[in-house]
Amino acid sequence: MHILLFDDPAIQPNLLPFTFTRPVAALRCGILTIAEKWQHHLQQPVHYLTQPHLREKFPAGPTEGPALVINGAVCPDEKLIEQVQALQPGEALLSEELLVAAYLPDASKVAELIQDGYRDVRQAKGSLTIISQPWHLFQQNGDQIRQDFALLTKGRQSQPVNDAHTIVYGAENIFIEEGVKIRAAILNAEDGPIYLGKDVQVHEGAVLKGPLAVCEAAHVNVGAKLRGDNTVGPYCRVGGEMANSILMAYSNKGHEGYLGNSVVGQWCNLGADTNTSNLKNNYAPVKIWSHAAGRFVNTGLQFCGLMMGDHSKCAINTMFNTGTVVGVGANIFGAGFPRNFVPSFSWGGSSGFETFRLPKAGEVAERVMSRRNLPYDQPEQDIMAYVYEATAKDRVWERAAGNSTAPIVIE
C-alpha cells in the first residue's frame, strides 16, 4: 500500500513562506521532518501530494492500487498510528472537520477523496499535533524532539562522549550517533534529551542544553550557547546564542548574535552579530505577516522572532524586529531595522528595497549549493522561478516603478 502525504489546501497557504519551496510534510519540527516521522512509524517509504510546481522535486510516487492518504500537517504519535493503521478501505479519520487520514482503495481517485469522496468516517481519539501556522513549528519543537528521540533511539546504544574535557549532565538522556566529535563542551540533558546526529561536530566551549537536536553533519561552533528546544538541521552551522528555534537544513548562523523563537529555512545565512527580537517592549502579543491573509495577523504569542524562507541572507549586524517575516531569496543589509515583512527576492534594508532579479539570485544559489556539492538543478530553478512570479505582488516598489520615475524606496 502506498503512503501519500497531502498538502491540506486549508493549511498550506498559512505556512508560507516555508511551503513556497517544500510540501507541508517536508517541514522539520523536532529531529525529523513530518514525512520522516511517518516513515519511521509506518516502516515504509512515503510520497507527497503537493503543489504543481513542487512535484518534480517531491514526486507522488505510484498512483495505482490502494493508498493510505495522510494530512501532511499532522505529526504522528503511537496512538494516532494505531488509529490510522486500523482504517478499512473507504474509511477516513477526521479530527472534527479536519481530514487526518483515509484508506483509498484506488490511488488514482485521490482528488475525489480529498473532496469528501470517502464512505465512512471515524473521529480521531486524543489530541493531535497539527502544524497549521509557522510559529507552531517552534512552539511544538521541544515536545517533538522528545518524541523523535524516543522513536529513533529505542533499543539502540549511544556512542560514548569520548572526551575527557567534556562535562555531561543527564547522560541517560543523550544519544550520540557514529562519527560525532566533541571537544571541551558542556552537555546538559537534565531538562530534556540531546540528540547528536551522524558526523556532528561540537567545538570547544559550546554549551548544549536539552531538548536539543543537532542533525547529521552539523557543526556547533566554538562558544555557542544552545539554550533548549532547538533544532540545528542537517549540514547547518550554528554559533552565538539560540533558543527555541529551528534551522531547517544547509543554513548558517555561524557567529555571535541571538536567535530566539524563530524558524529559518534552507540555504540561509545570518551574518555575524545578527540579532532577532522575540519580545516586544510593551510585552504585547506579536503580530506577523500572513501571506495567506495578505496582512499582519495576531499570533497570540508573547515570544515570536524571525520566520525566514529558503535562500535568504542577511549581512553583519542585521537587527530583526519582533515577528519579522522574510520571504524566499531575499538579501538584507544596511543599518537600522528592516521592515517586519521583507518580500521574496528583496534587495536592501531599512532605507528601502529593490528587486533581487531572478538571474542574480540564481547565481548566488548555484554558488552556495555547489559549496556543499549539490547542484542548482532544473527542479530547483523552476521552483525559484515560480516563487519569483507568485510573489511579485508583494514587491510593491515594482508597481510604484511602473507609475513613476522617482527612486524606488520603501518608507
Side-chain angles (χ1 to χ4, degrees):
M1 182 166 59
H2 313 310
I3 310 296
L4 304 175
L5 303 175
F6 72 90
D7 285 356
D8 190 317
I11 292 176
Q12 186 270 343
N14 295 328
L15 292 167
L16 300 172
F18 303 113
T19 50
F20 274 134
T21 50
R22 60 175 59 75
V24 173
L27 292 168
R28 187 175 303 277
C29 184
I31 303 172
L32 304 169
T33 67
I34 298 173
E36 289 168 345
K37 298 175 197 290
W38 283 103
Q39 184 164 301
H40 274 83
H41 275 289
L42 296 172
Q43 291 296 297
Q44 67 180 94
V46 300
H47 301 279
Y48 300 94
L49 294 173
T50 188
Q51 310 308 302
H53 72 283
L54 297 172
R55 289 174 187 167
E56 187 172 358
K57 184 175 179 180
F58 300 94
T63 56
E64 297 179 353
L68 191 59
V69 181
I70 300 170
N71 193 319
V74 178
C75 296
D77 57 28
E78 291 185 2
K79 188 173 183 178
L80 179 57
I81 290 294
E82 290 176 1
Q83 297 176 73
V84 168
Q85 290 180 324
L87 290 172
Q88 299 300 310
E91 286 187 336
L93 185 69
L94 273 66
S95 177
E96 297 180 351
E97 299 300 316
L98 179 77
L99 175 61
V100 176
Y103 188 150
L104 189 63
D106 182 1
S108 66
K109 305 284 187 184
V110 67
E112 291 89 336
L113 167 76
I114 297 176
Q115 296 298 322
D116 299 333
Y118 33 81
R119 186 184 70 241
D120 299 311
V121 171
R122 300 184 185 186
Q123 280 292 325
K125 299 175 182 177
S127 60
L128 303 182
T129 299
I130 302 167
I131 305 299
S132 58
Q133 296 289 348
W135 57 88
H136 291 167
L137 291 164
F138 70 76
Q139 273 190 300
Q140 298 295 333
N141 202 46
D143 286 341
Q144 287 299 306
I145 289 172
R146 290 182 172 92
Q147 292 191 40
D148 290 349
F149 184 89
L151 179 66
L152 291 173
T153 65
K154 185 177 181 180
R156 299 177 61 213
Q157 182 69 41
S158 171
Q159 297 296 310
V161 170
N162 241 359
D163 178 64
H165 303 290
T166 292
I167 300 172
V168 174
Y169 302 92
E172 68 279 6
N173 296 325
I174 297 173
F175 195 91
I176 300 171
E177 299 283 6
E178 292 184 359
V180 172
K181 181 179 179 180
I182 308 173
R183 291 292 180 265
I186 298 174
L187 278 59
N188 185 345
E190 292 178 330
D191 295 331
I194 294 175
Y195 176 84
L196 302 181
K198 181 181 177 183
D199 296 330
V200 160
Q201 292 194 36
V202 181
H203 295 275
E204 293 83 352
V207 179
L208 282 63
K209 185 173 174 58
L212 170 66
V214 184
C215 302
E216 181 178 354
H219 281 234
V220 181
N221 288 349
V222 170
K225 300 173 284 292
L226 306 185
R227 289 173 37 191
D229 294 336
N230 286 312
T231 294
V232 181
Y235 301 93
C236 291
R237 297 175 185 272
V238 64
E241 186 177 6
M242 181 170 162
N244 192 193
S245 295
I246 299 171
L247 302 179
M248 293 278 184
Y250 295 104
S251 288
N252 295 329
K253 180 209 170 306
H255 304 282
E256 294 300 319
Y258 177 68
L259 184 71
N261 302 95
S262 298
V263 181
V264 175
Q266 295 190 177
W267 305 110
C268 298
N269 188 73
L270 305 184
D273 203 32
T274 291
N275 286 283
T276 62
S277 169
N278 62 343
L279 174 67
K280 298 180 72 171
N281 284 357
N282 61 3
Y283 286 62
V286 179
K287 294 181 179 181
I288 72 170
W289 179 262
S290 166
H291 284 82
R295 58 181 173 82
F296 287 89
V297 298
N298 194 342
T299 66
L301 302 177
Q302 193 173 75
F303 293 92
C304 185
L306 170 69
M307 307 287 128
M308 177 179 277
D310 290 6
H311 290 285
S312 286
K313 315 284 191 293
C314 68
I316 62 169
N317 297 316
T318 300
M319 300 182 293
F320 287 111
N321 254 316
T322 318
T324 294
V325 173
V326 177
V328 174
N331 197 308
I332 303 165
F333 53 87
F337 287 90
R339 57 188 292 190
N340 285 44
F341 170 47
V342 179
S344 297
F345 298 96
S346 297
W347 175 278
S350 60
S351 61
F353 288 101
E354 57 185 276
T355 301
F356 192 16
R357 299 297 177 186
L358 185 61
K360 291 295 184 182
E363 288 177 11
V364 175
E366 183 175 19
R367 195 173 300 131
V368 169
M369 294 177 71
S370 69
R371 295 176 70 242
R372 305 296 182 94
N373 298 315
L374 291 173
Y376 183 56
D377 56 16
Q378 196 61 51
E380 194 78 17
Q381 293 175 43
D382 291 345
I383 290 171
M384 292 285 274
Y386 171 87
V387 178
Y388 186 84
E389 295 299 327
T391 58
K393 64 183 183 300
D394 298 328
R395 296 187 291 274
V396 295
W397 57 87
E398 293 183 355
R399 296 199 298 272
N403 298 321
S404 172
T405 58
I408 303 169
V409 176
I410 296 298
E411 297 295 340

